[in-house]
Amino acid sequence: MALRSLLSRCATAFQSRSAYEMAASARAASSTSKRFFETADEAVFDVGDEATLLVGGFGLCGIPENLIDAVLRRGARDLTIVSNDTGTETKGLGKLIQKRLVKRAVASYVGENSEVARQYFAGDLEVELLPQGTLAEKIRAAAAGIPAFYTPTGYGTLVHEGGEPIRYDGHGHVSKISHPHESREFGGRHYILEEAIKGDFALVKAWKADTAGNLTFRKAARNFNPPMAKAGKITIAEVEEIVPAGEIDPAHVHVSGIYVNRIFKGEHFEKGIEKRTVRSEGENRPRSAVGDVRERIVRRAVLEFRDGMYVNLGIGIPVLASNFIPNGMTVHLHGENGLMGLGPFPTEEELDPELINAGKETVTILDGGSFFSSDESFAMIRGGHINVTMLGAMQVSRYGDIANWMVPGKLVKGMGGAMDLVSSTGAGTKVIVTMQHQTKNGEAKIVERCSLPLTGKRCVNQIITEMAVFDVDQKKGLILTEVYDGLSVDDVKAATDAPFIVSPDLKPMAQVTIE
């Protein structure tokens, strides 16, 4: 009887497997029978309803645009997409969202696609926002057969404590929230447990494939493509060129053919550019309209640089600091989308859609620079290999908490790489916030406690505004070290909603000069 009961339970468990899961097993078993396909439509022939798709790319750079179009034509519904971002309203993964084929999006940033916000608040789309480095590591872990891992990223935030809105009910109320994560302490630092993410299909874009199935990627188009390619049960690659085995130097293979199930050569690639930024020929220090206030901040911020430093600059005010690096100083600028050695904006002749920074602006790369995948980029960040990171903020608290990614019920863009970047302070990276001292409405941004959801807890080392410079001591709190010429300590107090100590060595706020 016991044996018969056990067999009955096993049979019931087997029968309870969804038809999709059984079909997926059959596909996996036969996936080695054919590797090269004529068209994208043929390559996605079995992408069905409720599939989970791991999709490479960063913004519109390196996205598998032909495969996305093929999935759109196929019309599979209730998809879960896992990608760094969701494209724009009409490009990339935005096409699938626009047609309401997606029920759930897992991403680190959705700020370039207003349709995501519309469907999210209407209750038609689930959106789970993850730190960019955590997302990359979740994918990498799945590919390596690791079910979960501990990371310092997100400790003390909604990512750790739960409560991040994932679905709304269409009437302004949150109907589904994220769950809390287990946490542990290792070596005096706090970490949270994150689980790997698996996918039914990985859709990636490569530059070349050889007939052995090996892939190589071009410039910053590598980004999320290699980790996604390694984590799919079935990986489908669209490429620009297929060459004989051996033509790609084995030392230049970025993804081994062991991970790649299907390949097809695309006939057309749009290679869209989200933020076309160029400079005039002979212009060495291209600038947007910085403005007096923002320029005052960045001219002070660059004084934190030292020759030979590795520095990550966030979008907005921080990235402007690259225009004021003194002549003769070498600063290696890191882009979390997979670049080291960022150079100035390109001329029209140098413009390359596969060479962008983390803000999705077209850039150049300097001699001695390098490209790498997103998972490796965040290993550099979390491992403390970046000397300084600068980023903006909505609020910074007295003891160095930072909020810069979300206004509940109003703003749903995502944290991007910010949570990973600020978590690196525990590994030795100096975290500097560069921001205007008050909001446009005159509200203080330096506060006793952050009222907005946190990006990181007790992680900011220094704050630089147009009015002042503060050091942040984890025990003493804010220490005012510099005040802009013409302002008084009382002026700073009036604009600051947190108590601070005035340094006995208080100085006028310094400014770098560029010849």
Side-chain angles (χ1 to χ4, degrees):
M1 290 292 292
L3 178 60
R4 198 161 32 239
S5 176
L6 175 62
L7 291 173
S8 176
R9 289 199 303 271
C10 290
T12 301
F14 179 78
Q15 291 168 4
S16 69
R17 295 176 67 201
S18 70
Y20 192 82
E21 286 177 315
M22 290 189 283
S25 297
R27 287 194 302 270
S30 62
S31 63
T32 57
S33 60
K34 182 177 180 180
R35 175 172 271 170
F36 294 92
F37 290 74
E38 290 297 319
T39 68
D41 295 277
E42 293 175 7
V44 301
F45 71 93
D46 52 353
V47 174
D49 295 350
E50 300 185 358
T52 296
L53 309 181
L54 311 178
V55 185
F58 186 94
L60 300 179
C61 179
I63 61 170
E65 51 190 274
N66 290 285
L67 286 171
I68 292 170
D69 286 345
V71 172
L72 179 66
R73 288 190 293 270
R74 183 164 174 76
R77 307 190 69 84
D78 295 325
L79 299 171
T80 294
I81 56 171
V82 181
S83 185
N84 176 66
D85 47 67
T86 53
T88 67
E89 291 86 347
T90 58
K91 293 182 179 180
L93 289 170
K95 295 180 179 180
L96 302 181
I97 294 169
Q98 188 74 246
K99 293 296 183 181
R100 298 181 179 270
L101 300 179
V102 179
K103 69 174 182 180
R104 180 178 175 86
V106 181
S108 77
Y109 188 78
V110 296
E112 310 299 339
N113 191 339
S114 59
E115 181 63 22
V116 170
R118 280 192 289 270
Q119 292 187 28
Y120 174 59
F121 287 119
D124 298 327
L125 177 67
E126 288 189 5
V127 178
E128 182 177 3
L129 294 168
L130 298 174
Q132 194 175 118
T134 295
L135 175 60
E137 193 66 12
K138 279 173 170 279
I139 302 301
R140 192 206 66 80
I146 297 172
F149 57 92
Y150 283 98
T151 176
T153 301
Y155 178 82
T157 74
L158 291 179
V159 173
H160 167 210
E161 297 169 350
E164 177 189 332
I166 290 178
R167 178 183 282 279
Y168 279 80
D169 64 1
H171 301 288
H173 304 295
V174 177
S175 60
K176 183 177 181 180
I177 61 174
S178 63
H179 60 81
H181 285 50
E182 174 190 329
S183 63
R184 285 186 62 183
E185 187 174 320
F186 298 92
R189 293 185 69 194
H190 295 286
Y191 297 78
I192 64 174
L193 185 68
E194 291 281 5
E195 296 182 9
I197 295 178
K198 299 178 181 179
D200 300 306
F201 296 89
L203 310 182
V204 301
K205 161 64 170 55
W207 178 29
K208 292 182 181 180
D210 66 16
T211 51
N214 299 311
L215 303 179
T216 187
F217 302 87
R218 185 174 180 275
K219 298 185 178 179
R222 195 179 309 187
N223 52 61
F224 269 84
N225 278 299
M228 295 298 192
K230 297 172 185 177
K233 292 178 184 175
I234 294 179
T235 292
I236 310 173
E238 66 177 68
V239 301
E240 297 180 41
E241 189 176 351
I242 299 174
V243 299
E247 190 163 318
I248 299 176
D249 188 320
H252 298 158
V253 170
H254 298 143
V255 171
S256 170
I258 193 172
Y259 297 108
V260 184
N261 303 99
R262 302 174 191 170
I263 298 170
F264 82 96
K265 180 181 176 181
E267 294 184 358
H268 172 73
F269 297 95
E270 183 179 342
K271 296 187 179 181
I273 297 175
E274 288 181 67
K275 298 181 181 178
R276 182 189 180 94
T277 46
V278 296
R279 61 186 170 90
S280 302
E281 187 70 46
E283 184 182 11
N284 294 322
R285 297 183 180 275
R287 301 177 192 173
S288 56
V290 176
D292 291 342
V293 170
R294 284 152 59 100
E295 181 166 335
R296 187 188 307 173
I297 296 169
V298 296
R299 281 185 178 274
R300 172 58 186 85
V302 297
L303 293 177
E304 298 301 314
F305 296 163
R306 299 292 180 270
D307 193 48
M309 268 188 171
Y310 291 90
V311 174
N312 181 285
L313 298 177
I315 60 175
I317 290 176
V319 76
L320 298 173
S322 62
N323 296 325
F324 296 91
I325 297 172
N327 293 321
M329 177 182 286
T330 299
V331 176
H332 306 283
L333 296 180
H334 172 265
E336 59 256 39
N337 56 315
L339 300 86
M340 185 68 76
L342 287 166
F345 295 146
T347 62
E348 285 288 348
E349 292 72 24
E350 295 171 327
L351 192 71
D352 189 332
E354 292 176 326
L355 187 46
I356 64 169
N357 63 16
K360 297 161 188 171
E361 299 170 312
T362 47
V363 292
T364 57
I365 192 162
L366 302 176
D367 291 344
S370 58
F371 299 105
F372 31 85
S373 59
S374 294
D375 52 336
E376 183 174 354
S377 181
F378 281 93
M380 297 175 185
I381 291 168
R382 286 191 309 272
H385 304 286
I386 304 297
N387 301 114
V388 169
T389 183
M390 287 185 183
L391 69 168
M394 298 175 186
Q395 293 178 331
V396 181
S397 79
R398 178 182 182 182
Y399 292 102
D401 299 342
I402 179 174
N404 76 344
W405 73 281
M406 183 184 185
V407 177
K410 296 182 180 180
L411 182 65
V412 53
K413 287 191 174 184
M415 64 287 285
M419 283 191 180
D420 303 276
L421 286 162
V422 299
S423 75
S424 65
T425 188
T429 300
K430 184 174 183 178
V431 175
I432 302 173
V433 168
T434 54
M435 65 178 186
Q436 291 183 228
H437 209 96
Q438 296 175 300
T439 68
K440 293 179 181 178
N441 296 327
E443 297 173 354
K445 298 173 73 172
I446 302 174
V447 294
E448 175 71 29
R449 292 182 181 84
C450 294
S451 59
L452 298 173
L454 295 183
T455 305
K457 200 168 185 178
R458 297 202 172 206
C459 55
V460 176
N461 303 113
Q462 188 178 48
I463 305 168
I464 301 173
T465 76
E466 78 281 12
M467 297 183 73
V469 178
F470 292 93
D471 288 339
V472 184
D473 186 285
Q474 296 299 311
K475 295 182 179 180
K476 298 178 180 178
L478 297 169
I479 302 172
L480 180 67
T481 60
E482 299 178 28
V483 176
Y484 187 70
D485 189 35
L487 297 177
S488 67
V489 171
D490 286 340
D491 292 328
V492 177
K493 285 182 178 179
T496 306
D497 197 20
F500 56 82
I501 298 168
V502 178
S503 170
D505 298 320
L506 184 67
K507 299 179 177 65
M509 187 167 157
Q511 299 275 280
V512 71
T513 56
I514 302 293
E515 294 181 0

